[in-house]
Amino acid sequence: MVLSLSINGDRLTSIADPAMPLVDVLREEFHLTGAKPVCREGFCGACMVLVDGRPAPSCLMPVALAQGCDIRTVEGLAINGTLNPIQQALEASDAVQCGMCFPGMVVTLTHLLTTTPGATRDDIRAALTGNICRCTGYERIVEATLLALAAR
Ligand code: FES
Ligand code: FES
């Protein structure tokens, strides 16, 4: 069975098992390794992608269900080859430590900046409840997000 997918604006075909998690297809077939399969249970957020504009854990999504959806991975979030505002703010704030959680963080925070331009510190923390970071304590991530919001 050939699956037809829209990933980062490209029409791609996959010959994966339709039940295979989207995160594995992204990584193994398309070499988009930003999304990380860490918990594989939907609670860590390391595998987050945008599905029709909303953050979703790609470890829980069989690739067959991704057909007909607009899938955006962290690799597709730059704007015309330039890091998007949250990517720039995270880099400028030196917010990244080991980096394992960051592709998922960027996906979630890109969505937040797009949908909630007036987000408060509490809104940012609430948005990140599905993204676990074991290194940073979150404070620099929150500060970077506030910077990105203020720059808009
Ligand atoms: S690997 Fe998908 S939420 Fe943790
Ligand atoms: S920077 Fe290491 S888990 Fe977040």
Side-chain angles (χ1 to χ4, degrees):
M1 179 176 180
V2 177
L3 303 171
S4 176
L5 302 168
S6 173
I7 299 175
N8 298 333
D10 296 326
R11 299 298 312 182
L12 301 175
T13 56
S14 168
I15 54 168
D17 179 334
M20 192 171 181
L22 176 60
V23 65
D24 294 324
V25 177
L26 291 172
R27 293 174 61 84
E28 294 172 19
E29 196 165 357
F30 302 127
H31 309 294
L32 296 168
T33 56
K36 307 277 188 285
V38 177
C39 71
R40 292 188 176 275
E41 293 181 353
F43 72 82
C44 79
C47 67
M48 206 71 87
V49 298
L50 294 177
V51 178
D52 291 335
R54 307 179 83 161
S58 57
C59 65
L60 297 183
M61 185 175 210
V63 64
L65 295 186
Q67 290 192 110
C69 300
D70 176 38
I71 306 296
R72 301 272 161 179
T73 70
V74 70
E75 290 89 347
L77 296 184
I79 301 168
N80 298 327
T82 302
L83 296 180
N84 76 24
I86 189 63
Q87 290 172 312
Q88 291 183 33
L90 289 166
E91 185 178 45
S93 303
D94 204 15
V96 185
Q97 290 193 20
C98 84
M100 182 62 86
C101 69
F102 262 77
M105 291 276 181
V106 168
V107 168
T108 296
L109 292 172
T110 296
H111 175 258
L112 180 74
L113 254 69
T114 306
T115 58
T116 318
T120 64
R121 184 177 291 271
D122 286 346
D123 293 332
I124 297 165
R125 287 195 169 271
L128 291 177
T129 52
N131 292 82
I132 307 276
C133 177
R134 295 177 188 152
C135 304
T136 66
Y138 296 91
E139 197 48 37
R140 283 192 187 183
I141 297 169
V142 173
E143 291 298 331
T145 307
L146 288 168
L147 271 178
L149 286 163
R152 285 172 65 90

